[in-house]
Amino acid sequence: MSYILSSSKKFKKTKKDNYISTLQSLPDDLLIDILSRVGSISFTDFFNAKLSCRDFLEVSQEKFIMKNISIEKFHAVPWWEVKDEISSFLKACEESGNPELLYRQGMMEFFSLKKVESGEENLKRAMEMEHMEASYVYGIILLCKGGECSNEEQGIKLLNAVLKSRKLGECRERTRAFVLSMWVNNPIVKSQELITSRHAETCGGRRRRRGWPWIYERDEDVIDENFCEACMWDDEVSLFCKRFL
């Protein structure tokens, strides 16, 4: 019996040694790619993986990993003091250009901290990394800014891309939840309602349904051939603005 137990322990030790030896034989670039893929799906799995061996631990702070790691586990707007290790981790994510963190920082700065320019810039950076909620909010901001024709064109282009991805409903819900979690000190431009009204009066392609035409509908059902694209996104802007009233 003791021989069997001894053989079992020896087998487990050999298996572990082979696992470690295999990891040690991998180049750092591949270790970083593996850990980045794990971290992009689950922070918990990332944390466990980096503690599983020294090789993962040594590359765990690489910028590429911090840029892609999921921070869904952490509250967007913490209402209590954040521990130093968590604060340092999120700071590393910010410095590495993590799109989710840039989106959160942009939302806080633009709508709550009255740092409009830096907030808009962070949302733009997150949008350029194809962060869906950032694309949605930045598109809304561009339409609200008005002025240059390029703002409206880019805003509509971004919102159309969100719609095409069939994640418009998800973006609405996630931004709504974010807005409800923070103090809003800088509501988005309310004069946009006047702009949309003037457009509605002069638009010949508008077919208005009762209430909001697509709040509870599937994203793919939003557009029909008789509904003006500009009017549709004007209504979306008005819907977005109402969350701040």
Side-chain angles (χ1 to χ4, degrees), residues 29 31 70 167 188 222:
D29 287 348
L31 289 173
S70 170
K167 292 187 178 180
I188 207 162
V222 170

PDB file of all heavy atoms in Angstrom, residues 29 31 70 167 188 222:
ATOM      1  N   ASP A  29       6.954  36.084 -25.289  1.00  0.00           N
ATOM      2  CA  ASP A  29       5.864  36.616 -26.126  1.00  0.00           C
ATOM      3  C   ASP A  29       4.658  35.680 -26.115  1.00  0.00           C
ATOM      4  O   ASP A  29       3.504  36.136 -26.085  1.00  0.00           O
ATOM      5  CB  ASP A  29       6.348  36.798 -27.574  1.00  0.00           C
ATOM      6  CG  ASP A  29       7.291  37.979 -27.715  1.00  0.00           C
ATOM      7  OD1 ASP A  29       7.380  38.769 -26.757  1.00  0.00           O
ATOM      8  OD2 ASP A  29       7.920  38.110 -28.776  1.00  0.00           O
ATOM      9  N   LEU A  31       3.946  33.462 -23.680  1.00  0.00           N
ATOM     10  CA  LEU A  31       3.394  33.499 -22.322  1.00  0.00           C
ATOM     11  C   LEU A  31       2.498  34.719 -22.146  1.00  0.00           C
ATOM     12  O   LEU A  31       1.414  34.639 -21.557  1.00  0.00           O
ATOM     13  CB  LEU A  31       4.523  33.535 -21.294  1.00  0.00           C
ATOM     14  CG  LEU A  31       5.355  32.252 -21.118  1.00  0.00           C
ATOM     15  CD1 LEU A  31       6.534  32.521 -20.201  1.00  0.00           C
ATOM     16  CD2 LEU A  31       4.501  31.120 -20.575  1.00  0.00           C
ATOM     17  N   SER A  70      -9.780  41.936 -18.512  1.00  0.00           N
ATOM     18  CA  SER A  70     -11.163  42.287 -18.145  1.00  0.00           C
ATOM     19  C   SER A  70     -11.194  42.897 -16.744  1.00  0.00           C
ATOM     20  O   SER A  70     -10.583  42.374 -15.809  1.00  0.00           O
ATOM     21  CB  SER A  70     -12.039  41.034 -18.171  1.00  0.00           C
ATOM     22  OG  SER A  70     -13.300  41.291 -17.599  1.00  0.00           O
ATOM     23  N   LYS A 167     -25.854  45.411 -30.972  1.00  0.00           N
ATOM     24  CA  LYS A 167     -25.604  45.602 -29.543  1.00  0.00           C
ATOM     25  C   LYS A 167     -26.135  46.944 -29.051  1.00  0.00           C
ATOM     26  O   LYS A 167     -25.738  47.421 -27.991  1.00  0.00           O
ATOM     27  CB  LYS A 167     -24.101  45.482 -29.260  1.00  0.00           C
ATOM     28  CG  LYS A 167     -23.555  44.081 -29.456  1.00  0.00           C
ATOM     29  CD  LYS A 167     -22.114  43.970 -29.015  1.00  0.00           C
ATOM     30  CE  LYS A 167     -21.613  42.539 -29.167  1.00  0.00           C
ATOM     31  NZ  LYS A 167     -20.198  42.401 -28.728  1.00  0.00           N
ATOM     32  N   ILE A 188     -25.752  66.414 -20.570  1.00  0.00           N
ATOM     33  CA  ILE A 188     -25.436  66.667 -21.965  1.00  0.00           C
ATOM     34  C   ILE A 188     -26.343  67.768 -22.504  1.00  0.00           C
ATOM     35  O   ILE A 188     -27.413  68.029 -21.957  1.00  0.00           O
ATOM     36  CB  ILE A 188     -25.589  65.365 -22.781  1.00  0.00           C
ATOM     37  CG1 ILE A 188     -24.690  65.379 -23.990  1.00  0.00           C
ATOM     38  CG2 ILE A 188     -27.024  65.122 -23.176  1.00  0.00           C
ATOM     39  CD1 ILE A 188     -24.464  64.023 -24.586  1.00  0.00           C
ATOM     40  N   VAL A 222     -35.068  47.931 -35.922  1.00  0.00           N
ATOM     41  CA  VAL A 222     -35.132  49.382 -35.724  1.00  0.00           C
ATOM     42  C   VAL A 222     -35.395  50.137 -37.012  1.00  0.00           C
ATOM     43  O   VAL A 222     -36.252  51.000 -37.096  1.00  0.00           O
ATOM     44  CB  VAL A 222     -33.812  49.898 -35.096  1.00  0.00           C
ATOM     45  CG1 VAL A 222     -33.789  51.419 -35.119  1.00  0.00           C
ATOM     46  CG2 VAL A 222     -33.674  49.398 -33.675  1.00  0.00           C
TER      47      VAL A 222
END
